């Protein structure tokens, strides 16, 4: 296959590597493991009890007799899958954004693997999420960590635009709801001692994801990568990078954390530790764009990016070049740390995956061809 058809050059080096020269390719004999390290637990202003207290205080300040009784809009859950079948059930619901670490903690160090101290030797980790209260949940054991009140999921931020007359009333109602939500959210933050954003103006989270092809020795964009943007602890938005490796979200208020789970509807890449989908936390608690250059062979992120690039091409682009896409619609790919083994080990049911990639010593072209 002629790789030059699918490899594009992005000329601007990103901040995560030296700005003056491309990083020298390095072949590692073992995978570099970058742990996700949690910091302090964050105060939770979105807990239903806190929001109710905030609503009560706002009503007193406004000389109203009483505030309305709030009902939970979301639940903060922790799932405990017991086997790979239950893990597959969780991952099959793509409308739920799962995390392998608790969502209500600061992230002290960005990385690719989280080791849960509650299950340090467990293959299957806890899976955390926040879902609407009426969402039908997978049949997997879980516990409710908290009841939440979050309006932002259902009330879209309204920018100042010209509207037709028929839309004026609806726009006014949305603006009123958003104004109340901002007041309620700010009051709740003050009650629990959370950081209150001084600048309430909206901004657009966006960025670029690129990758070092160490065969062509070029920095190329990664297309189709699902990027998550999580704000307000529990609110997650997701989009995919375009052909230039660029991603962009609608305008939001406050700080965000950018996060990747290396999977698409047709395939997923397992992590080295455990059986969950591989992940990368790429920028935390920021109001800036995320330019992420994956440039070091031997890192988990580089390995996942190499595999993702080929799998995405195979499923979504190969037909453009006369190559048939796979008939199997739920491919699972598992990197391994056995450098002397052979690539392409199919249907290894011990690990519950379809294809193993032993690519520590391989360059990008060999991984792509596998």
């Amino acid at each position: 296959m002629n790789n030059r058809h699918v490899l594009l050059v992005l000329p601007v080096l990103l901040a995560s590597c030296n700005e003056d020269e491309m990083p020298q390719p390095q072949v590692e004999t073992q995978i570099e493991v970058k742990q996700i390290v949690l910091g302090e637990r964050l105060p939770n202003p979105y807990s239903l009890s806190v929001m109710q207290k905030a609503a009560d205080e706002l009503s007193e300040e406004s000389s109203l007799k009483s505030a309305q009784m709030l009902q939970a809009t979301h639940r903060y859950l922790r799932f405990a899958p017991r086997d790979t079948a239950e893990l597959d059930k969780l991952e099959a619901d793509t409308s739920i954004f799962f995390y392998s670490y608790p969502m209500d903690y600061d992230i002290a160090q960005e990385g690719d693997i989280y080791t849960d101290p509650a299950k340090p030797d467990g293959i299957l980790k806890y899976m955390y999420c926040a879902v609407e209260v009426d969402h039908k949940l997978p049949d997997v054991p879980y516990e409710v960590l908290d009841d939440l009140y979050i309006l932002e999921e259902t009330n879209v931020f309204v920018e100042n635009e010209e509207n037709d007359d028929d839309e004026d009333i609806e726009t006014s109602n949305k603006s009123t709801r958003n104004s109340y939500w901002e007041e309620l959210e700010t009051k709740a933050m003050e009650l629990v001692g959370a950081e209150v954003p001084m600048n309430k103006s909206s901004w657009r989270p966006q960025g670029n994801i690129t990758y070092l092809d160490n065969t062509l020795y070029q920095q190329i964009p990664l297309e189709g990568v699902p990027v998550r943007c999580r704000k307000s602890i529990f609110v997650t938005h997701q989009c995919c990078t375009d052909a230039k490796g660029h991603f962009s979200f609608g305008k939001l208020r406050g700080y965000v954390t950018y996060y990747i789970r290396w999977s698409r509807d047709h395939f997923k890449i397992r992590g080295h530790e455990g059986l969950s989908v591989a992940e990368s936390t790429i920028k935390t608690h920021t109001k800036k764009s995320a330019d992420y250059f994956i440039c070091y062979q031997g890192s988990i992120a580089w390995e996942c990016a190499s595999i993702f690039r080929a799998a995405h091409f195979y499923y979504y682009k190969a037909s453009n070049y006369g190559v048939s896409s796979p008939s199997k619609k739920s491919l699972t790919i598992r990197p391994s740390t056995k450098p002397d083994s052979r690539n392409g080990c199919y249907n290894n049911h011990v690990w519950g995956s379809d294809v193993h990639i032993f690519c520590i010593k391989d360059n990008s072209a060999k991984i792509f061809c596998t």
Side-chain angles (χ1 to χ4, degrees):
M1 184 179 299
N2 194 333
N3 287 40
R4 70 172 180 271
H5 289 300
V6 295
L7 304 181
L8 304 177
V9 179
L10 187 66
V12 180
L13 287 179
L14 304 180
S16 57
C17 289
N18 192 301
E19 295 182 356
D20 298 322
E21 57 182 14
M22 293 287 284
Q24 295 299 315
Q26 297 179 354
V27 179
E28 303 292 341
T29 57
Q30 61 182 7
I31 288 294
E32 174 191 343
V33 177
K34 188 175 182 181
Q35 291 279 350
I36 297 172
V37 179
L38 300 185
E40 297 294 326
R41 187 171 186 176
L42 299 171
N44 179 13
Y46 304 97
S47 177
L48 178 62
S49 59
V50 175
M51 281 289 175
Q52 185 63 65
K53 185 177 181 181
D56 292 339
E57 292 199 8
L58 283 178
S59 67
E60 292 177 3
E61 294 172 4
S62 303
S63 300
L64 299 176
K65 291 184 178 180
S66 62
Q68 66 180 92
M69 294 301 297
L70 304 180
Q71 302 294 322
T73 60
H74 296 72
R75 290 184 293 175
Y76 177 30
L77 306 177
R78 183 175 75 174
F79 282 87
R82 294 166 293 190
D83 52 37
T84 55
E86 290 190 339
L87 183 62
D88 288 339
K89 287 182 181 180
L90 294 180
E91 293 176 346
D93 190 340
T94 56
S95 65
I96 300 179
F97 299 115
F98 287 104
Y99 294 85
S100 65
Y101 52 82
M103 302 171 70
D104 54 342
Y105 277 79
D106 184 33
I107 297 177
Q109 177 178 293
E110 302 159 10
D112 307 298
I113 289 178
Y114 174 66
T115 300
D116 194 329
K119 303 183 75 172
D121 300 321
I123 293 179
L124 296 176
K125 301 177 182 179
Y126 291 122
M127 303 290 282
Y128 299 84
C129 66
V131 297
E132 295 183 359
V133 292
D134 58 353
H135 189 92
K136 185 177 179 180
L137 299 175
D139 183 22
V140 177
Y142 69 90
E143 61 178 305
V144 179
L145 300 180
D146 207 350
D147 290 321
L148 308 173
Y149 185 75
I150 304 172
L151 292 184
E152 196 161 358
E153 289 281 11
T154 54
N155 291 276
V156 179
F157 185 83
V158 180
E159 301 180 60
N160 292 325
E161 308 177 320
E162 292 185 3
N163 295 282
D164 296 334
D165 292 339
D166 294 341
E167 298 176 350
D168 285 345
I169 295 178
E170 181 181 357
T171 301
S172 177
N173 289 339
K174 285 183 178 180
S175 298
T176 300
R177 289 197 300 269
N178 283 316
S179 177
Y180 174 72
W181 170 243
E182 288 180 27
E183 292 182 20
L184 185 62
E185 185 181 38
T186 299
K187 173 62 71 173
M189 287 179 172
E190 292 172 352
L191 288 175
V192 299
E195 180 181 4
V196 179
M198 300 302 294
N199 185 358
K200 295 185 178 181
S201 61
S202 62
W203 65 289
R204 188 180 302 281
Q206 58 185 311
N208 303 280
I209 299 180
T210 54
Y211 159 83
L212 176 62
D213 183 312
N214 63 1
T215 302
L216 297 181
Y217 195 44
Q218 293 176 352
Q219 181 180 0
I220 65 170
L222 280 180
E223 182 179 2
V225 177
V227 181
R228 294 181 183 179
C229 169
R230 180 161 63 91
K231 69 173 298 287
S232 305
I233 304 179
F234 299 109
V235 178
T236 298
H237 303 273
Q238 180 169 292
C239 69
C240 290
T241 56
D242 60 19
K244 296 181 179 180
H246 181 73
F247 64 88
S248 178
F249 295 90
K251 286 191 174 182
L252 301 172
R253 291 182 295 110
Y255 298 95
V256 302
T257 292
Y258 298 102
Y259 176 89
I260 296 172
R261 278 176 70 81
W262 296 101
S263 67
R264 288 296 298 266
D265 290 344
H266 292 117
F267 66 89
K268 54 191 172 186
I269 303 170
R270 296 292 196 197
H272 282 277
E273 295 185 5
L275 296 177
S276 300
V277 171
E279 62 190 4
S280 295
T281 300
I282 60 178
K283 203 172 187 65
T284 63
H285 198 66
T286 183
K287 277 190 174 183
K288 297 181 179 179
S289 61
D291 289 337
Y292 186 45
F293 181 21
I294 305 171
C295 53
Y296 296 115
Q297 182 179 0
S299 68
I300 290 177
W302 188 89
E303 188 178 49
C304 289
S306 301
I307 298 169
F308 184 95
R309 173 184 167 213
H312 181 269
F313 173 81
Y314 201 10
Y315 272 104
Y316 300 103
K317 297 290 185 178
S319 60
N320 297 337
Y321 301 90
V323 179
S324 298
S325 295
S327 58
K328 187 173 178 59
K329 297 302 182 183
S330 58
L331 190 67
T332 301
I333 309 168
R334 182 181 177 84
S336 177
T337 55
K338 299 177 181 179
D340 296 327
S341 299
R342 182 180 178 184
N343 276 343
C345 176
Y346 294 88
N347 297 319
N348 187 331
H349 296 292
V350 175
W351 288 104
S353 58
D354 300 296
V355 179
H356 282 220
I357 305 291
F358 307 105
C359 59
I360 297 174
K361 295 183 177 179
D362 285 349
N363 61 26
S364 52
K366 289 183 179 179
I367 298 171
F368 193 97
C369 290
T370 297

